RNA sequence: GGAGAGAUGGCCGAGUGGUCGAAGGCGCUCGCCUGCUAAGCGAGUAGGGGGUUAUUAGCCUCCUCGAGGGUUCAAAUCCCUCUCUCUCCGCCA
C-alpha cells in the first residue's frame, strides 16, 4: 500500500506508476472517492462528539431533566449510526480499489511489460565453454539423483524426489549461503511456512497473487511461496527505536507454489515445481538507505552465484513484470546449457514502504513515527541452483564436478553416473 | 483432543456501566537540586485516522483497554463469537 497523501497531493505519480505497469485503475475516481470518505467521516465524527458531550451531562441530572437529556442523546446516537454506516460504505468502496493499487515504480526500473523487456545490466562468465548440453532432467536420470516419475506417482505433476548426492548438494548450498550471509551480519532464521492471511496481505501477495498460494482452509492458514512472507511479518505491528535498523535476516524455508497458469511451461524435470527450498534475505531499513541496500543485496547474490562458477547475467526487471509490492527488481539469470538460455535463479526487490505500511512496521524518530522500507532477495533458490550446477559442470561422461566453493560442504568432488 | 486460568499503555499492575485513554509503580526523557554516573524534587512519556494551521510546532476531533459483533443516552467494565497465551491430562516429531 502506498502513502495516502500521495493520492491526495500527487496523484500523477500513481497514474504514472500504473501506466508503466500496464495496470488499469481509475485514479481520478479514487481521488474523489477519498474526498467523499473524509467528508462523510467528518460528519459522523461531529455528531459523535456532540452525542458524547450530551451523554456526559446525563450522569449529573435527575428526573424529567434527565429523561429529556436521554432522549436527546438517543436521537444523536441514531443519527451517528446512520452517518457512520454511510461513511463505512464509502470506505469499503475506496478500500476495495485501493488495496489493488501497486507500489510506485522506481524511475530507474526498466520500461516494458513482460520479461522480454527486461534490460540486461551485466553478463558474467563464458557460455561458449559450456558446450555439453544435456539438460538437468537427463542428467538427473543418468546420475540417479532426480526422480520425477515417482514424484508424479506420489504427488502429481510438478513434484520430484531429490535423491543421493543431490540431497547432500542441497544442504551444502544451504549452508554455503548461510555462512556467507551470517558472516555479513545477517541473522539466520527458520520461519514458519504456514501463515495467516494477514501476513500475505501485509506482504502484498494477497490479493494480487492469491491464485498462486496453497490454502489450508480447515485451519485458515496458507503455505508460503517464499520465506519473504514470514520474515517480513516477523516485525508486523512493531515500532523500531532509533539505531535499531537495519535488521538483516536470512531465512531458510520450503516454498510452495501452485504455479497456476503455467501449464505447458517448463515441464521437463524439476525446473518449475510446486515445492522447493530457498534461502532468502530480508531487510528492514531506513527509507533513505533502501536504494543502497538494494545494491548491497544484489552484490551478495552475485558473490554467492560467482562462487558456483556458473555463467550468469543480471537484469533490471521491466516495470510491467514487477510484482505489486516491488518498486524495482533485479533478477540474476543463470546459464542453463540444456536449455541454451539464461533463466531466473534469484530475484531481489526493493519494496520501499509498500509492505511496511501494510504490516505497520515503523520507526520512532524525533519528528514522529514513520513507515520504514523493506527489501528481499534470494540467497539461493536451492532447486534451480542444483540444476544449473548439474548442467554447467557436467562432463562428457555425464558426471558432474562440484564447484570448489561447495566441496567443504559436500565432502565430495563429483557426482558419478 | 479434554479440563482450567488469563489477555489493560515500553514493562508491572489497578479498575464490574457515567468526566477512564485509563490510578499507582517501574523504566525512559527533560529540568532542578545535591561536591562527585546514589538518593531527592518537578514536568513529560501509547498508537492510528480526520480537520485546522506555515505540511515537520500548536489546536480541535474520532477510533483503539487481544479481535469482531451486540445491549445502552453512555462499556476496559454487561452479553455473544473468535483468536492467542499459560497450567494439567492425552497424543506425538
Amino acid at each position: 500500500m502506498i502513502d495516502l497523501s500521495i493520492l491526495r497531493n500527487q496523484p500523477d505519480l500513481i497514474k504514472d506508476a500504473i501506466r508503466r505497469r500496464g495496470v488499469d485503475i481509475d485514479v481520478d475516481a479514487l481521488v474523489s472517492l477519498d474526498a467523499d470518505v473524509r467528508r462523510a467521516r467528518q460528519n459522523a465524527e461531529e455528531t459523535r462528539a456532540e452525542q458524547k458531550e450530551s451523554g456526559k451531562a446525563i450522569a449529573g441530572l435527575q428526573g424529567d431533566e434527565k429523561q429529556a437529556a436521554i432522549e436527546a442523546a438517543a436521537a444523536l446516537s441514531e443519527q451517528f449510526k446512520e452517518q457512520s454506516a454511510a461513511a463505512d460504505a464509502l470506505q469499503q468502496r475506496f478500500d476495495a480499489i485501493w488495496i489493488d493499487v501497486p507500489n510506485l515504480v522506481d524511475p530507474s526500473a526498466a520500461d516494458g511489460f513482460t520479461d522480454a523487456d527486461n534490460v540486461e545490466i551485466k553478463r558474467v562468465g563464458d557460455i561458449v565453454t559450456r558446450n555439453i548440453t544435456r539438460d538437468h532432467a537427463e542428467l538427473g536420470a543418468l546420475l540417479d539423483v532426480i526422480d520425477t516419475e515417482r514424484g508424479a506417482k506420489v504427488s502429481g505433476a510438478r513434484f520430484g524426489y531429490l535423491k543421493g548426492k543431490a540431497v547432500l548438494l542441497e544442504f551444502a548450498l544451504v549452508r554455503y549461503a548461510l555462512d556467507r550471509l551470517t558472516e555479513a551480519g545477517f541473522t539466520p532464521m527458520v520461519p514458519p511456512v504456514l501463515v495467516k492471511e494477514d501476513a500475505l496481505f501485509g506482504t502484498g501477495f494477497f490479493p494480487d497473487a492469491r491464485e498462486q498460494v496453497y490454502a489450508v482452509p480447515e485451519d485458515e492458514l496458507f503455505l508460503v511461496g517464499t520465506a519473504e512472507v514470514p520474515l517480513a511479518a516477523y516485525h508486523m505491528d512493531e515500532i523500531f527505536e532509533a539505531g535499531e535498523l537495519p535488521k538483516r535476516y536470512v531465512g531458510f524455508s520450503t516454498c510452495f507454489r501452485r504455479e497456476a497458469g503455467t501449464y505447458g511451461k517448463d515441464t521437463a524435470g524439476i525446473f518449475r515445481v510446486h515445492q522447493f527450498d530457498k534461502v532468502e534475505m530480508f531487510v528492514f531499513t531506513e527509507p533513505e538507505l533502501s536504494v543502497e541496500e538494494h545494491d548491497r543485496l544484489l552484490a551478495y547474490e552475485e558473490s554467492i552465484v560467482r562462487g558456483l562458477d556458473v555463467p550468469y547475467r543480471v537484469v533490471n526487471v521491466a516495470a510491467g513484470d514487477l510484482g505489486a509490492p516491488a518498486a524495482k527488481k533485479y533478477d540474476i539469470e543463470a546459464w542453463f546449457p540444456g536449455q541454451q538460455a539464461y533463466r531466473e535463479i534469484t530475484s531481489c526487490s526493493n519494496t520501499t514502504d509498500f509492505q511496511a505500511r501494510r504490516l505497520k512496521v515503523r520507526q520512532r524518530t524525533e519528528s514522529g513515527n514513520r513507515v520504514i522500507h523493506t527489501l528481499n532477495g534470494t540467497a539461493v533458490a536451492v532447486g534451480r541452483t542444483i540444476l544449473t550446477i548439474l548442467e554447467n559442470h557436467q562432463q562428457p561422461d555425464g558426471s558432474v564436478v562440484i564447484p570448489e566453493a561447495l566441496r567443504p560442504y559436500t565432502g565430495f568432488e563429483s557426482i558419478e553416473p
Side-chain angles (χ1 to χ4, degrees), chain A residues 95-118:
Chain A
D95 288 346
I97 307 174
W98 188 237
I99 194 74
D100 280 323
V101 175
N103 201 357
L104 298 178
V105 176
D106 190 285
S108 65
D111 285 315
F113 301 104
T114 72
D115 57 4
D117 299 313
N118 293 350

Side-chain angles (χ1 to χ4, degrees), chain A residues 263-382:
Chain A
Y263 307 111
K265 282 166 80 176
D266 302 313
T267 50
I270 56 169
F271 185 83
R272 185 182 298 277
V273 283
H274 290 307
Q275 175 192 328
F276 60 95
D277 294 327
K278 184 156 65 74
V279 179
E280 178 82 3
M281 301 179 281
F282 196 90
V283 179
F284 299 83
T285 184
E286 298 190 43
E288 297 75 21
L289 300 175
S290 72
V291 169
E292 182 184 316
E293 187 71 20
H294 196 199
D295 290 338
R296 182 178 291 120
L297 293 186
L298 177 62
Y300 289 135
E301 290 186 351
E302 279 197 65
S303 87
I304 287 168
V305 173
R306 236 181 270 119
L308 306 178
D309 188 23
V310 166
Y312 69 92
R313 64 176 195 158
V314 179
V315 299
N316 178 359
V317 173
D321 204 33
L322 293 171
K328 186 177 182 181
K329 176 155 87 171
Y330 298 116
D331 283 357
I332 292 182
E333 300 179 341
W335 180 249
F336 282 76
Q339 298 187 34
Q340 289 292 297
Y342 285 102
R343 299 301 305 269
E344 175 183 343
I345 59 164
T346 77
S347 188
C348 183
S349 299
N350 184 357
T351 53
T352 64
D353 60 4
F354 189 87
Q355 294 180 329
R357 179 167 293 103
R358 291 189 182 213
L359 291 166
K360 298 188 176 64
V361 187
R362 291 148 298 169
Q363 176 186 39
R364 212 183 300 280
T365 70
E366 287 180 0
S367 53
N369 298 338
R370 62 173 182 172
V371 175
I372 63 166
H373 281 196
T374 60
L375 305 97
N376 63 83
T378 316
V380 176
V382 183

Side-chain angles (χ1 to χ4, degrees), chain A residues 20-48:
Chain A
R20 292 192 66 190
R21 288 175 181 271
V23 177
D24 185 27
I25 291 172
D26 188 343
V27 176
D28 291 325
L30 264 179
V31 170
S32 74
L33 199 46
D34 172 57
D36 293 345
V37 170
R38 280 187 286 171
R39 203 175 304 117
R41 188 66 62 195
Q42 187 73 12
N43 283 339
E45 283 185 6
E46 279 167 12
T47 304
R48 178 71 163 158

Side-chain angles (χ1 to χ4, degrees), chain A residues 146-355:
Chain A
I146 295 170
D147 190 338
T148 51
E149 278 187 31
R150 292 191 177 90
K153 176 179 73 178
V154 175
S155 300
R158 294 200 190 286
F159 283 96
Y161 283 80
L162 225 48
K163 193 177 173 187
K165 282 185 172 175
V167 174
L168 302 178
L169 179 55
E170 149 134 358
F171 288 104
L173 275 166
V174 169
R175 189 57 198 263
Y176 162 71
L178 286 176
D179 280 4
R180 295 292 83 73
L181 291 165
T182 50
E183 281 162 16
F186 285 70
T187 302
M189 295 271 243
V190 177
V193 295
L194 281 164
V195 299
K196 298 191 245 182
E197 199 169 33
D198 286 351
L200 286 155
F201 266 108
T203 44
F205 286 90
F206 283 6
D208 194 42
R210 188 164 193 136
E211 73 283 358
Q212 298 300 341
V213 178
Y214 283 103
V216 185
E218 182 73 18
D219 298 287
E220 292 181 47
L221 291 170
F222 300 85
L223 282 160
V224 299
T226 164
E228 172 190 342
V229 175
L231 290 177
Y234 185 65
H235 287 300
M236 179 163 59
D237 294 324
E238 294 182 17
I239 302 175
F240 289 107
E241 299 299 333
E244 286 187 310
L245 296 174
K247 290 277 190 190
R248 297 192 176 96
Y249 297 103
V250 53
F252 167 85
S253 85
T254 300
C255 305
F256 303 90
R257 300 185 180 183
R258 295 188 62 232
E259 296 296 348
T262 62
Y263 307 111
K265 282 166 80 176
D266 302 313
T267 50
I270 56 169
F271 185 83
R272 185 182 298 277
V273 283
H274 290 307
Q275 175 192 328
F276 60 95
D277 294 327
K278 184 156 65 74
V279 179
E280 178 82 3
M281 301 179 281
F282 196 90
V283 179
F284 299 83
T285 184
E286 298 190 43
E288 297 75 21
L289 300 175
S290 72
V291 169
E292 182 184 316
E293 187 71 20
H294 196 199
D295 290 338
R296 182 178 291 120
L297 293 186
L298 177 62
Y300 289 135
E301 290 186 351
E302 279 197 65
S303 87
I304 287 168
V305 173
R306 236 181 270 119
L308 306 178
D309 188 23
V310 166
Y312 69 92
R313 64 176 195 158
V314 179
V315 299
N316 178 359
V317 173
D321 204 33
L322 293 171
K328 186 177 182 181
K329 176 155 87 171
Y330 298 116
D331 283 357
I332 292 182
E333 300 179 341
W335 180 249
F336 282 76
Q339 298 187 34
Q340 289 292 297
Y342 285 102
R343 299 301 305 269
E344 175 183 343
I345 59 164
T346 77
S347 188
C348 183
S349 299
N350 184 357
T351 53
T352 64
D353 60 4
F354 189 87
Q355 294 180 329

